[in-house]
Amino acid sequence: MRISRRRIALGAVAVAAATLAAGAVVEASSPNWTPVPNAQTKATGIAQPNALPPELAETILVQGSNALENPSGNVTRYGYYNDGASVPAPGTVTEATKSEPDKNTYLVMRGLTGADAGYEYGTHFLFQGHEGGPAGSITRVNLDADASHKVTLLGTTGAASSVDGSTWYPFSRKLLVTGEASDAKGGVWQLNPNPGGPVDKLAAIGFGGYEGVQADSDGNIWLVADVGGAKGTVNTKARQPNSFIYRFRPANKRDLTAGGKLQVLQVMRNGAPIVFHPGQADADIQGADIAALHTAGLSFDTHWVTIHDSAVDGPAAFDANALAKTKSGTPFKRPENGVFRPDGKFSEFYFTTTGDTDITTQAGTANGGFGAIFHLTQHGPSANSGKLDLFYRSEAATGGFDNIQFLTRRTLVAVQDYGDTAHEQLHALDSGFAFDIRSSHPTPKRLLAEGRDASATMDSALLGTPGYQNDGDNEITGFHVSNGDPGVKGLLGAKAPRPWENKGWRVFWTQQHGDNVTFEIVPADDRSSDGRSHRGHR
């Protein structure tokens, strides 16, 4: 249904999400929106459209086939490497490797340049790293530009160093990107928002499967890492918790190359830290500690433990995951991303865990087999202690969470990245869910039911074929809500988002794999005849 401008203005009048019936209207900001009732089904050979609430619509910003204005080597298009055709020739499986555009970062900036010295690139930009494939690349989508100047390659992180997370670091005015590799190919890099500059790896942060990255108001950098653990000998469908939450405290926030201290989050239970047990995967998978972490109503003391100080330990590359274990950091089941509560205090941090992405996991719901959302509270962003509690424990149908973002001051959105195994088991594709953070028993409300484009449908059919390298199905990633403010007051968490209210806030997401399309979500009655929204440009 379409909504009037008056109804948009009254968007704050709503009932808490936990008390809503499945089809009731949910307050997010303006407009109100009606939850999508079901996930889109997965069926062999069948493509599916994306499903949004009737009050909302999506518009395509860029897709995998968009050519880069400044191609380099095998990085020539937004979402495809230059190693094959967009689709295999009949009777073959040779296809271009999909680059997998990942986390989005939106900025409104003046004076940015590109490959064409005589072109005015505008002021609205969307940045993303690209996961997977033969090289890690970082692109900038020029939202105000014409087709030939739409996508600019900013740089690469080296062979096989794929890029996952990204964020803007206003203190040094650098873009930060993370590489999820758990060996020396991973890490954190910084670069300028214009092409042609250096892509510098920050040695003081080391490597450790980093994915999510956020900065707080003190200049600390929070990192959420994903390193898959060992499968159990008995629990063969589950994995041992093996990933950590980190905080980097720079020696000089205006120059991150000056080093600093990397810390790991330690969670206490019964007076002792919850830790990783080498060679005891089965004991950890179904152990009392991990069950307690996934029990509603329990609260745990936390501490930040320094595992590497560049002033003492020097600039040599180091394995943060290994040091976190040595220093008694607390492992989780594949943490993916985190975000601060948008109240300007940077004292509350929510982060997702993906879990085992296998519906037959022996960990089950009770031991986090389907993942969760955790809530960390501190007195301030640089505090050395705090409290951790469970915000939401996923069931099979709501598991596999990856990106997390606040849609409004009290509406938290987490999106699934389940993968082909779980899609087959559930006969369902991924969804994005909204939660009311005021609820002690939050109920997920489906904001997005992702479909599957024709390219991903074909990719899914080719899985397992010798010589075929791409993933099947689409995945939700890069869900991002921002007004593009590049200053410290524009950090995610500094202000309450107000999308769709003519205040510059915009909502983006990427349908990874297949056609690799990045969308903007807009009010259904606010699109021009060409399908584009101009609300965010005003």
Side-chain angles (χ1 to χ4, degrees):
M1 61 182 174
R2 295 189 179 275
I3 51 178
S4 68
R5 299 294 180 186
R6 184 173 185 273
R7 183 175 172 188
I8 289 178
L10 297 175
V13 181
V15 183
T19 66
L20 292 173
V25 171
V26 177
E27 185 273 343
S29 173
S30 297
N32 295 338
W33 54 274
T34 306
V36 180
N38 300 300
Q40 295 288 61
T41 57
K42 173 172 180 171
T44 301
I46 303 299
Q48 293 275 24
N50 299 324
L52 287 166
E55 298 87 358
L56 301 174
E58 60 188 14
T59 182
I60 294 175
L61 299 176
V62 65
Q63 60 191 36
S65 57
N66 278 93
L68 303 182
E69 66 162 353
N70 55 338
S72 176
N74 57 8
V75 185
T76 60
R77 294 186 179 275
Y78 177 71
Y80 303 145
Y81 288 101
N82 190 27
D83 59 355
S86 298
V87 295
T92 74
V93 296
T94 302
E95 180 182 70
T97 301
K98 308 294 175 68
S99 75
E100 301 183 9
D102 209 290
K103 189 74 170 63
N104 290 303
T105 294
Y106 173 59
L107 294 173
V108 179
M109 303 181 76
R110 297 186 180 278
L112 295 194
T113 61
D116 185 345
Y119 188 76
E120 172 56 58
Y121 284 84
T123 57
H124 301 83
F125 304 93
L126 193 65
F127 302 80
Q128 51 283 128
H130 291 255
E131 181 182 6
S137 59
I138 305 99
T139 53
R140 188 187 74 199
V141 179
N142 308 309
L143 297 173
D144 301 329
D146 60 27
S148 61
H149 298 88
K150 180 62 66 177
V151 189
T152 303
L153 177 66
L154 295 185
T156 61
T157 56
S161 295
S162 64
V163 181
D164 293 82
S166 68
T167 197
W168 177 247
Y169 192 73
F171 305 97
S172 62
R173 296 190 66 80
K174 299 284 188 179
L175 187 71
L176 302 182
V177 299
T178 60
E180 192 180 358
S182 57
D183 58 18
K185 296 185 180 69
V188 180
W189 291 262
Q190 67 174 13
L191 66 156
N192 294 321
N194 285 319
V199 181
D200 295 321
K201 194 169 187 177
L202 299 174
I205 303 181
F207 56 88
Y210 301 138
E211 185 160 354
V213 55
Q214 298 288 340
D216 66 34
S217 56
D218 286 350
N220 303 310
I221 298 169
W222 295 54
L223 295 156
V224 181
D226 175 13
V227 180
K231 288 186 177 180
T233 302
V234 176
N235 302 297
T236 58
K237 303 295 184 181
R239 291 185 178 274
Q240 186 178 34
N242 191 46
S243 307
F244 300 90
I245 308 298
Y246 302 91
R247 184 177 69 180
F248 179 67
R249 304 197 64 180
N252 181 355
K253 61 187 178 183
R254 291 175 177 79
D255 179 11
L256 294 178
T257 64
K261 297 178 180 180
L262 183 68
Q263 302 175 314
V264 68
L265 184 70
Q266 183 185 78
V267 183
M268 307 295 291
R269 177 173 180 260
N270 298 330
I274 298 174
V275 297
F276 174 93
H277 298 95
Q280 301 181 43
D282 286 302
D284 282 346
I285 288 167
Q286 293 192 328
D289 283 342
I290 192 169
L293 282 175
H294 292 88
T295 300
L298 298 184
S299 180
F300 304 89
D301 290 333
T302 64
H303 306 287
W304 288 104
V305 179
T306 298
I307 62 174
H308 187 275
D309 183 347
S310 60
V312 176
D313 302 313
F318 65 93
D319 184 341
N321 185 272
L323 290 179
K325 294 169 185 175
T326 301
K327 300 290 187 178
S328 298
T330 296
F332 294 87
K333 288 181 74 71
R334 295 189 58 199
E336 293 277 353
N337 282 279
V339 67
F340 291 100
R341 182 174 180 173
D343 59 4
K345 299 177 181 179
F346 293 90
S347 61
E348 297 183 52
F349 188 71
Y350 291 80
F351 64 92
T352 57
T353 58
T354 297
D356 292 318
T357 63
D358 186 330
I359 305 308
T360 64
T361 172
Q362 293 92 349
T365 302
N367 289 72
F370 307 120
I373 303 174
F374 288 96
H375 175 221
L376 174 65
T377 59
Q378 303 181 164
H379 289 303
S382 297
N384 287 321
S385 60
K387 295 283 187 180
L388 182 78
D389 60 82
L390 179 75
F391 173 72
Y392 177 76
R393 186 176 68 182
S394 295
E395 304 287 341
T398 57
F401 285 146
D402 191 317
N403 284 177
I404 184 171
Q405 190 88 163
F406 272 91
L407 185 64
T408 70
R409 62 187 174 88
R410 69 185 190 217
T411 305
L412 184 66
V413 172
V415 302
Q416 292 177 301
D417 181 3
Y418 238 153
D420 298 293
T421 297
H423 292 162
E424 290 283 359
Q425 293 167 332
L426 292 167
H427 304 293
L429 302 170
D430 289 334
S431 292
F433 296 95
F435 300 85
D436 190 330
I437 64 168
R438 300 170 301 170
S439 173
S440 58
H441 300 284
T443 301
K445 302 297 179 182
R446 187 175 284 104
L447 176 65
L448 166 66
E450 186 182 39
R452 183 170 64 169
D453 61 41
S455 295
T457 304
M458 181 175 64
D459 293 345
S460 183
L462 291 172
L463 283 180
T465 305
Y468 187 73
Q469 81 278 29
N470 284 319
D471 287 300
D473 289 344
N474 296 114
E475 295 173 2
I476 304 173
T477 189
F479 191 90
H480 183 62
V481 183
S482 172
N483 67 352
D485 183 348
V488 175
K489 293 182 178 180
L491 285 168
L492 296 181
K495 301 175 185 176
R498 302 183 67 181
W500 312 315
E501 288 190 351
N502 278 327
K503 297 184 183 297
W505 290 90
R506 302 176 73 172
V507 181
F508 306 94
W509 76 282
T510 295
Q511 189 168 16
Q512 194 182 74
H513 302 148
D515 289 335
N516 271 335
V517 178
T518 293
F519 297 95
E520 181 174 3
I521 298 177
V522 299
D525 65 348
D526 195 50
R527 291 184 299 173
S528 62
S529 60
D530 64 358
R532 297 176 59 199
S533 170
H534 302 282
R535 178 179 291 266
H537 298 272
R538 296 175 184 173

